[in-house]
Amino acid sequence: MELQGKVAVITGAGRDGKGIGRSIALELAKAGADVVIADYVEEAAKAVAAEVKALGRDAVAVKADVAAPADCEAVVDTAVDKFGRVDILVNNAGITRDNLILRMSEAEWDAVIDTNLKGTFNCTKAVAKLMLRQRSGRIVNIASVMGIIGNAGQANYAASKAGIIALTKTTAKELGSRGVNVNAIAPGFIQTVMTEEMPEQAKQSIEKQIPLERLGTPDDVAKVVHFLCSDAASYITGQVVNVDGGMVM
């Protein structure tokens, strides 16, 4: 239980079933952390908080739109009021609004940038001052391989994830002297609610592009988050870890 006594805030962690955020919350709880579940859908956040409590850890659910700075500040305030500190922030909240660039509306562009990139900035800013005072902290940002290689029909999503990678490196440089490590994970195709909606033929085509010949699971991502939040990763910062079965190669 190497995260015993630690407090983790995870955004976008309320998705039912196969969400990455949910798996991260449960993985960190199993390692001993208490968890703050922030999600736009309050009932979904409460359901994951209940799962965390069933593992013997404490948890609180907070309804939040990460695109709103005040909501992000409220999440951190809730964590401090409940637990007295924040040791881990996982910026996982993200959405897609796919379209070809010639057809993409301004609203589709703005929605993805506001949630994915601005949301990561908002939450990081909200927790940074606290972590600097503590002289310790771990921030893990969930990017995507699409932010590295791009993807047709996802100009907004790819741009947001590339921005998260740049934000990760910059934040790591700004906060490192006070003992705050900041890293990113770039998942490939992961089995989630979104990928389940893809046609079977499309999924088979994708698997052929992956050296390990399978889609990843939310637990594949969660275990890397766990590592980056542990003492074993104390000398790792500003890095992007691809969890993609080798797809980017």
Side-chain angles (χ1 to χ4, degrees):
M1 302 276 282
E2 74 272 23
L3 298 183
Q4 186 79 34
K6 302 294 186 182
V7 177
V9 171
I10 307 166
T11 68
R15 184 178 287 277
D16 294 336
K18 296 184 177 180
I20 291 173
R22 171 184 172 273
S23 289
I24 293 170
L26 298 180
E27 176 71 21
L28 298 187
K30 290 173 185 174
D34 295 321
V35 185
V36 178
I37 308 293
D39 199 275
Y40 187 71
V41 181
E42 187 173 16
E43 289 307 312
K46 288 180 177 178
V48 176
E51 290 188 81
V52 169
K53 290 179 180 179
L55 293 172
R57 305 310 311 167
D58 204 353
V60 59
V62 185
K63 177 179 170 60
D65 177 1
V66 296
D71 281 18
C72 299
E73 291 166 7
V75 170
V76 174
D77 289 343
T78 298
V80 173
D81 290 344
K82 175 74 173 176
F83 300 112
R85 60 188 293 113
V86 176
D87 301 287
I88 296 164
L89 168 65
V90 182
N91 283 306
N92 171 72
I95 63 171
T96 57
R97 296 290 186 273
D98 296 352
N99 216 336
L100 295 173
I101 196 164
L102 291 178
R103 298 176 183 172
M104 186 174 290
S105 68
E106 184 177 1
E108 289 170 332
W109 173 271
D110 288 347
V112 172
I113 297 297
D114 284 352
T115 295
N116 298 7
L117 181 55
K118 183 181 175 185
T120 298
F121 163 77
N122 287 339
C123 292
T124 299
K125 184 176 180 181
V127 83
K129 189 178 294 185
L130 175 63
M131 288 185 172
L132 289 174
R133 284 202 303 268
Q134 294 173 175
R135 290 186 172 271
S136 67
R138 296 282 197 275
I139 299 174
V140 181
N141 299 324
I142 306 301
S144 169
V145 295
M146 301 314 170
I148 300 170
I149 63 175
N151 194 35
Q154 289 193 311
N156 47 6
Y157 184 78
S160 72
K161 295 301 186 176
I164 286 172
I165 290 170
L167 178 62
T168 297
K169 293 176 180 293
T170 299
T171 310
K173 290 182 177 181
E174 291 188 7
L175 306 184
S177 64
R178 296 292 187 92
V180 180
N181 299 49
V182 188
N183 293 287
I185 294 174
F189 282 96
I190 306 297
Q191 295 173 18
T192 64
V193 173
M194 283 190 286
T195 56
E196 280 184 348
E197 296 171 355
M198 295 171 60
E200 188 61 32
Q201 187 174 358
K203 282 193 276 191
Q204 291 176 0
S205 176
I206 290 167
E207 288 174 355
K208 291 177 182 177
Q209 302 172 40
I210 301 171
L212 292 184
E213 296 184 345
R214 68 170 178 87
L215 301 185
T217 69
D219 284 347
D220 289 329
V221 179
K223 290 182 186 303
V224 180
V225 173
H226 179 177
F227 167 69
L228 291 174
C229 294
S230 72
D231 289 343
S234 63
Y235 201 54
I236 299 173
T237 196
Q239 302 305 303
V240 182
V241 182
N242 295 337
V243 182
D244 64 352
M247 191 183 79
V248 162
M249 291 191 297

